[in-house]
């Protein structure tokens, strides 16, 4: 967990730094520290703006790409390369910062191409991955609750499942009503269309989830999953209409803000925190998409003792009993002699009791860094795509306040509905593929 938090923190710092470099505010503060003696330029040009954001995110993306290559094929902490993932934080931070410095020596033309094509593709892949994982989470949550209800006839789990479903649907309809009231006035055709389409698809996938044909092929499908997808997609739509520019007088939130600078700063930090959290979750749960590739990753959060019994024996006593059992098995010919060497390695300095990845890593290290690479592409694209020149004139630039960002959220909601709808229909149209 500490490793994942550390990488998320680095992404958060890198994202905030990128946001600050959109405007000359940070550079003016640095110049002021030199009593305005030094003027900071990059190859005779400004060191802030579009290219600066691409440079900083490219640096962290390059760091994660190299880490992905170094850790390719690591299956457990017995592999010496695993320590690179979980340790050496000082050198890794130095390498990351060195990459940032080096990127400012690369010509701007490279980053114009990188940002316009490669980073954009990586950003779209990151958004798509997040939508797939959201649908997977919806199915996992509902099936987990149903499993508890079936196995233990638990009234508490039944209340939780029904209550959460009703609560999410109520919140979805409440947000829809609020959007119609505040963001769908006269002349706001884009908002009216987005809100209406979201509501129609919400009703369609809800009906689809309880259709007899769907229930016959997948009895665990139902309103619980569609409720989670509905509230997420409705939230995306509401976020889109509430963050669009106010040039058509369709966004009263912008006009109602009293402290504009504070709202921009808070909004930017919350956005970066959300991206860091989403990236970490996606990176560690990538095996849900079939990334295991035949390797059984240890589940995150699993305890060493899985039988649920209380074990009060001292660690040393358990280790001694284990060693005796292994020696007996080796003498009987049931195990090779190398098993004793593996046990000795696990017992040295008591590290075996603390290492929960000796039997298998909890997630795919290389995939983890590839997803973080895509996250840097998303941050760079979010900050630089279709920047409004008027909005950029202040000390701080608002994050995601463009029609491009709004449409990305709106279309993402539609794509999420499509993915969820296909997860319902696929077992019906492809019964052999899903074992029905």
């Amino acid at each position: 967990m500490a490793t994942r938090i550390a990488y998320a923190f680095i992404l958060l710092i890198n994202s905030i730094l990128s946001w600050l470099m959109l405007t000359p505010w940070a550079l003016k503060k640095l110049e002021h520290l030199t009593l305005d003696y030094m003027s900071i330029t990059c190859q005779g040009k400004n060191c802030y703006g579009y290219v600066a954001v691409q440079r900083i995110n490219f640096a962290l993306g390059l760091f994660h790409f190299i880490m992905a290559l170094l850790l390719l094929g690591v299956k457990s902490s017995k592999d010496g390369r695993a320590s690179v993932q979980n340790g050496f934080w000082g050198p890794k931070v130095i390498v990351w910062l060195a990459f940032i410095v080096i990127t400012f020596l690369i010509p701007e033309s490279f980053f114009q191409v990188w940002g316009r094509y490669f980073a954009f593709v990586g950003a779209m892949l990151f958004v798509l991955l997040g939508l797939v994982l959201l649908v997977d989470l919806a199915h996992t949550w509902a099936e987990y609750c149903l499993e508890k209800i079936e196995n233990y006839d638990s009234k508490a789990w039944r209340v939780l499942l029904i209550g959460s479903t009703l609560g999410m649907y109520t919140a979805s309809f409440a947000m829809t009503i609020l959007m119609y009231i505040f963001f769908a006035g006269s002349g706001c055709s884009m908002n009216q269309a987005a809100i209406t389409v979201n509501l129609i698809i919400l009703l369609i996938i809800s009906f689809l989830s309880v259709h007899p044909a769907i229930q016959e092929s997948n009895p665990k499908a139902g309103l619980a999953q569609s409720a989670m997808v509905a509230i997420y997609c409705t939230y995306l739509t509401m976020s889109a209409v509430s963050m669009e520019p106010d040039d058509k007088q369709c966004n009263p939130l912008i006009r109602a803000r009293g402290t504009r600078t504070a709202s921009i700063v808070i909004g930017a930090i919350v956005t970066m925190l959300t991206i860091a959290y989403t990236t970490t979750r996606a990176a560690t749960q990538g095996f849900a998409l079939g990334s295991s590739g035949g390797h059984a990753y240890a589940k995150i959060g699993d305890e060493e003792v899985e039988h649920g019994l209380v074990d009060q024996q001292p660690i040393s006593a358990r280790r001694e009993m284990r060693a005796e059992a292994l020696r007996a098995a080796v003498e009987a010919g049931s195990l090779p002699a190398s098993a004793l060497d593996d046990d000795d390695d696990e017992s040295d300095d008591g590290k075996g009791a603390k290492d929960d990845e000796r039997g298998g890593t909890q997630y795919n290290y290389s995939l983890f860094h590839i997803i973080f690479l895509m996250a840097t592409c998303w941050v760079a694209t979010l900050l630089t795509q279709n920047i409004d020149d008027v909005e950029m004139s202040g000390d701080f630039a608002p994050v995601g306040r463009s029609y491009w960002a709004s449409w990305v959220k709106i279309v993402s909601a539609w794509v999420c509905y499509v993915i969820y709808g296909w997860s319902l229909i696929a077992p019906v149209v492809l019964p052999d593929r899903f074992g029905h």
Side-chain angles (χ1 to χ4, degrees):
M1 177 61 73
T3 297
R4 299 188 288 274
I5 292 175
Y7 283 116
F9 183 72
I10 290 176
L11 176 62
L12 175 63
I13 297 300
N14 195 85
S15 301
I16 293 176
L17 178 61
S18 302
W19 170 63
L20 290 175
M21 291 299 290
L22 271 175
T23 63
W25 179 84
L27 295 179
K28 288 179 179 178
K29 294 299 180 183
L30 289 176
E31 291 175 353
H32 185 65
L33 290 176
T34 66
L35 301 178
D36 297 325
Y37 176 77
M38 181 182 298
S39 178
I40 301 176
T41 60
C42 296
Q43 302 173 1
K45 299 180 180 179
N46 293 329
C47 293
Y48 62 90
Y50 176 94
V51 176
V53 173
Q54 295 293 345
R55 292 180 194 275
I56 294 170
N57 285 283
F58 176 80
L60 184 58
L62 178 62
F63 169 80
H64 282 293
F65 179 72
I66 293 174
M67 289 289 291
L69 293 179
L70 288 176
L71 298 170
L72 193 64
V74 174
K75 303 294 185 180
S76 72
S77 60
K78 294 179 183 179
D79 191 317
R81 292 175 296 163
S83 60
V84 177
Q85 169 75 1
N86 301 310
F88 299 101
W89 288 105
K92 285 191 290 191
V93 170
I94 292 174
V95 170
W96 162 49
L97 296 177
F99 282 168
I100 292 179
V101 174
I102 292 172
T103 58
F104 279 89
L105 304 178
I106 301 175
E108 283 191 9
S109 57
F110 171 81
F111 294 103
Q112 294 287 351
V113 175
W114 170 264
R116 194 168 299 167
Y117 301 105
F118 296 96
F120 182 81
V121 172
M124 295 303 100
L125 290 175
F126 178 77
V127 172
L128 180 61
L129 176 65
L131 298 177
V132 173
L133 287 175
L134 185 279
V135 173
D136 177 73
L137 175 64
H139 283 290
T140 301
W141 159 251
E143 291 173 5
Y144 181 78
C145 291
L146 290 173
E147 182 182 348
K148 291 293 185 181
I149 294 172
E150 293 173 359
N151 293 342
Y152 303 104
D153 193 23
S154 172
K155 182 179 179 180
W157 281 100
R158 186 176 286 106
V159 170
L160 178 61
L161 181 61
I162 297 174
S164 62
T165 301
L166 291 175
M168 286 187 283
Y169 268 118
T170 301
S172 299
F173 289 120
M175 285 191 288
T176 301
I177 293 172
L178 289 174
M179 285 189 287
Y180 273 122
I181 294 174
F182 294 104
F183 301 99
S186 177
C188 303
S189 56
M190 169 185 160
N191 292 357
Q192 294 169 354
I195 299 167
T196 303
V197 169
N198 179 78
L199 179 60
I200 293 173
I201 302 178
L202 184 157
L203 296 174
I204 291 174
I205 63 110
S206 299
F207 171 77
L208 195 63
S209 66
V210 294
H211 192 277
I214 301 295
Q215 290 293 309
E216 182 180 354
S217 297
N218 185 7
K220 292 186 176 180
L223 293 176
Q225 296 97 321
S226 60
M228 183 175 292
V229 173
I231 191 172
Y232 179 73
C233 293
T234 304
Y235 160 76
L236 282 180
T237 304
M238 188 170 189
S239 176
V241 299
S242 65
M243 286 300 292
E244 67 179 12
D246 193 38
D247 56 332
K248 298 180 181 179
Q249 302 294 303
C250 295
N251 192 347
L253 289 182
I254 294 179
R255 299 191 300 274
R257 281 174 179 150
T259 310
R260 183 176 181 277
T261 300
S263 65
I264 290 175
V265 172
I266 293 173
I269 294 175
V270 169
T271 300
M272 300 311 173
L273 280 170
T274 303
I275 292 173
Y277 170 77
T278 304
T279 304
T280 306
R281 177 181 170 274
T284 53
Q285 295 186 359
F287 54 79
L289 306 180
S291 64
S292 57
H295 172 63
Y297 295 103
K299 291 183 179 180
I300 298 172
D302 280 359
E303 298 294 334
E304 183 179 355
V305 181
E306 297 180 351
H307 47 61
L309 301 178
V310 177
D311 190 350
Q312 296 181 341
Q313 288 182 307
I315 294 176
S316 58
R318 295 201 303 271
R319 188 180 299 126
E320 185 177 346
M321 292 175 61
R322 172 184 169 84
E324 290 178 359
L326 283 174
R327 280 194 293 270
V330 171
E331 291 174 1
S334 301
L335 290 174
S338 60
L340 293 175
D341 297 332
D342 292 340
D343 185 61
D344 290 340
D345 293 341
E346 196 169 311
S347 302
D348 287 345
D349 302 325
K351 293 179 181 178
K354 298 179 181 179
D355 192 346
D356 57 356
E357 293 190 324
R358 291 190 69 83
T361 56
Q362 293 180 340
Y363 52 92
N364 188 316
Y365 287 170
S366 292
L367 179 62
F368 177 90
H369 289 286
I370 291 297
I371 293 175
F372 267 80
L373 166 60
M374 291 191 292
T376 62
C377 295
W378 169 243
V379 172
T381 304
L382 177 66
L383 291 175
T384 59
Q385 195 73 21
N386 290 355
I387 296 174
D388 186 353
D389 293 333
V390 176
E391 293 282 0
M392 294 293 293
S393 60
D395 287 338
F396 301 106
V399 177
R401 190 177 298 165
S402 66
Y403 282 114
W404 179 87
S406 293
W407 273 111
V408 165
K409 293 178 181 180
I410 293 170
V411 174
S412 294
W414 298 346
V415 172
C416 188
Y417 281 130
V418 171
I419 295 172
Y420 175 65
W422 173 247
S423 73
L424 295 175
I425 298 174
V428 178
V429 298
L430 300 173
D432 296 336
R433 172 68 174 82
F434 291 89
H436 296 292

